[in-house]
Amino acid sequence: MERPSVQEPDSTVDGFGPDRWPGDSGRSRGAIRRALCGCLLVGVQAVTFAQSPTYLAGSRPFTPGELALLPDICKDIQGSPTYNGPRGDHWRAYIGNALGHMHHYCRGMRDLLVLRTVQLKPEHRQLLWNRAATEMMYVIQNSPPTMPMQPELWLHYGYAKLNLGDLMAAQRAYEQSRKLKPDYWPAYTQWADFLIQNKQNDEARALLEEGLKHAPDQPELVKRLASVGGSR
């Protein structure tokens, strides 16, 4: 049986929405582009190091180039499970005791970043997709369902599983993300993109229409709905 097509989400930055990393209101598209321009040398080094076991180690230190492109929480905690820096109170007020587990989120986000920006051997891509999914699930299981970043964690877990070809797990993850936050539009668009790429336009149309009930006139939902013959 031919494997369903999985392509990069349309009009996104690193696959996580057109303007920002989910859950990080400060990461605009312009900021990401500026950081990319400022980190070309780091990127060249990354291409070289990406083939080495050291670079692929999940517990290695974050590079300045990676931190420039990762969400603000990762800039602050930099892989530390015991972060008590100047922004500690801010993050504890937002996500509570889950802060002690968020270094796993940051490692997973780094893996997703590397997958989007570095040429990797197939076996290394498989390793990073698997590890990103594992890191996201670790935080999901070690934080309460009410933790505000749970919808995003399920989104990234679903995206990793989708790229691993585990379609049932991916579908359940996107459904859980939408259940926790019905107006979280990336959880609609990423799965809709997969449906559209695989000629399941009726299913995509129904999903996008459901999304627009919760996030009226959201541009990415409207654009995709138009692409499958729907109207708003």
Side-chain angles (χ1 to χ4, degrees), residues 20-110:
R20 300 185 168 82
W21 298 90
D24 184 5
S25 61
R27 296 297 290 161
S28 69
R29 178 184 294 178
I32 291 175
R33 286 175 176 166
R34 288 191 295 273
L36 278 170
C37 292
C39 298
L40 287 178
L41 179 58
V42 175
V44 171
Q45 293 171 338
V47 172
T48 301
F49 296 152
Q51 307 305 329
S52 74
T54 299
Y55 187 85
L56 293 170
S59 58
R60 65 180 175 82
F62 287 74
T63 69
E66 290 166 345
L67 290 173
L69 299 175
L70 289 172
D72 285 346
I73 189 171
C74 300
K75 291 181 178 60
D76 291 335
I77 67 175
Q78 296 191 26
S80 171
T82 57
Y83 175 70
N84 281 310
R87 296 258 289 168
D89 288 345
H90 166 80
W91 292 117
R92 274 185 287 274
Y94 181 52
I95 60 176
N97 292 333
L99 181 61
H101 301 295
M102 291 304 289
H103 58 294
H104 289 279
Y105 160 83
C106 294
R107 291 176 184 176
M109 292 299 284
R110 178 175 60 188

Side-chain angles (χ1 to χ4, degrees), residues 165-222:
D166 190 345
L167 303 185
M168 291 185 63
Q171 183 176 22
R172 288 194 297 267
Y174 286 122
E175 288 173 351
Q176 181 66 10
S177 180
R178 297 192 297 268
K179 178 180 178 181
L180 291 170
K181 186 172 172 55
D183 62 348
Y184 189 40
W185 61 266
Y188 296 90
T189 58
Q190 283 193 15
W191 188 246
D193 284 345
F194 168 76
L195 295 172
I196 293 168
Q197 289 156 13
N198 290 281
K199 313 301 182 185
Q200 300 180 52
N201 288 355
D202 290 343
E203 293 87 344
R205 188 182 306 113
L207 177 62
L208 294 165
E209 288 172 348
E210 178 66 21
L212 283 164
K213 291 178 183 177
H214 300 285
D217 301 319
Q218 205 292 321
E220 294 298 317
L221 294 173
V222 171

